[in-house]
Amino acid sequence: MQLIFFASSFCEPCMQTRAVLDQASKLVPALKIAELDVARDTAEAEKAGVRSTPTVIVLDGDDAEVFRAEGVPTLNQVLVALAKAV
């Protein structure tokens, strides 16, 4: 299971999302979070269809998308998505 977090340096909601993802990683130690900056990683953002920041994408073991949140997700949303990815 992998979580990809598309962010930008000037994004206030991105800071809130980091806090939610930090809580999730404490509850799910096996969670791997990849944070990508849309300004630096434009090809990856375009490939993933990212239209705004923050965007959080959860992938299952086969790299299939099981969850996408545009905007700040709740901790509960992230945990349910991670359960779906298992």
Side-chain angles (χ1 to χ4, degrees), residues 40-63:
R40 277 195 320 259
D41 303 298
T42 54
E44 287 295 321
E46 287 176 16
K47 180 180 169 188
V50 173
R51 296 181 304 239
S52 62
T53 57
T55 296
V56 173
I57 300 172
V58 175
L59 305 173
D60 66 11
D62 296 324
D63 289 334

Side-chain angles (χ1 to χ4, degrees), residues 17 20-21 23-24 56 67 69 71-81:
T17 300
V20 170
L21 298 181
Q23 289 177 315
V56 173
F67 175 78
V72 181
T74 65
L75 178 59
N76 200 35
Q77 287 175 313
V78 173
L79 294 176
V80 168

